[in-house]
């Protein structure tokens, strides 16, 4: 115990710049953790605001395919994603390339790995008996 204290004191006295580096690294790590927590809270807050706006419309659900809108709602920045939000579900659909990334980034959504996102959404619409579906202004009809 005493030897450990001496070694620590020796390290602090003889090498103060290393101690300063350790302290700075600790605070940097702490800031990154705090920012990550705040960022995830902000994403969930955005989705909740979106759901509140959805509740005020006649739509049963909304299909989001614009990648900028998907990033705004989920924080996901890949090139293949679709978001479907209904009054009872939040679904994030992507292909196999992005599944692991989505599981780490996207919070509060069920993540579905598929090559046919619109086909999966069509099944969900039929299963939940949804009638009015909204969508963003940039959707492919092909």
């Amino acid at each position: 115990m005493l030897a450990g204290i001496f070694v620590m004191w020796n390290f602090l006295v003889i090498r103060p710049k290393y101690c300063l580096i350790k302290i700075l690294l600790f605070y940097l790590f702490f800031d990154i953790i705090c920012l990550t927590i705040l960022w995830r809270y902000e994403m969930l807050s955005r989705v909740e605001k979106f759901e509140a706006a959805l509740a005020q419309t006649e739509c049963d659900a909304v299909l989001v395919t614009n990648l900028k809108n998907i990033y705004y709602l989920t924080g996901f920045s890949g090139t293949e994603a679709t978001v479907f939000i209904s009054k009872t579900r939040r679904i994030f659909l992507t292909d196999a390339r992005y599944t692991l990334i989505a599981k780490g980034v996207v919070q509060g959504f069920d993540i579905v790995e598929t090559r046919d996102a619109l086909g999966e959404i069509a099944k969900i619409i039929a299963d939940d008996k949804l009638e009015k579906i909204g969508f963003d202004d940039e959707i492919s009809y092909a």
Side-chain angles (χ1 to χ4, degrees):
M1 174 78 178
L2 192 56
I5 293 172
F6 177 74
V7 170
M8 187 64 174
W9 175 253
N10 186 20
F11 183 78
L12 292 175
V13 172
I14 296 174
R15 298 180 180 90
K17 69 179 182 181
Y18 296 116
C19 180
L20 181 61
I21 291 171
K22 282 187 171 184
I23 291 170
L24 290 175
L25 287 174
F26 170 77
Y27 282 112
L28 177 65
F29 180 71
F30 183 73
D31 284 347
I32 290 171
I33 297 279
C34 290
L35 288 174
T36 302
I37 291 168
L38 290 173
W39 177 73
R40 289 186 179 192
Y41 175 75
E42 178 67 25
M43 292 299 135
L44 289 174
S45 174
R46 290 176 182 178
V47 173
E48 289 168 358
K49 290 176 186 176
F50 186 83
E51 288 176 330
L54 175 62
Q56 295 176 358
T57 68
E58 296 178 8
C59 292
D60 296 325
V62 175
L63 174 65
V64 182
T65 57
N66 182 318
L67 293 175
K68 291 177 185 175
N69 294 337
I70 291 171
Y71 177 76
Y72 178 80
L73 289 172
T74 66
F76 179 79
S77 61
T79 59
E80 181 62 39
T82 305
V83 169
F84 186 74
I85 300 175
S86 70
K87 295 177 181 174
T88 59
R89 294 186 183 195
R90 295 178 187 165
I91 302 171
F92 181 91
L93 302 102
T94 190
D95 64 18
R97 296 174 296 166
Y98 295 113
T99 303
L100 289 176
I101 295 169
K103 287 180 180 179
V105 172
V106 178
Q107 302 294 315
F109 285 80
D110 295 328
I111 298 172
V112 177
E113 180 180 314
T114 182
R115 297 179 96 187
D116 182 23
L118 296 180
E120 290 291 325
I121 292 169
K123 290 176 190 174
I124 293 166
I125 291 170
D127 291 345
D128 292 353
K129 298 178 176 78
L130 303 175
E131 295 178 3
K132 294 183 181 180
I133 311 299
F135 55 90
D136 55 7
D137 60 354
E138 294 182 24
I139 187 167
S140 173
Y141 298 100

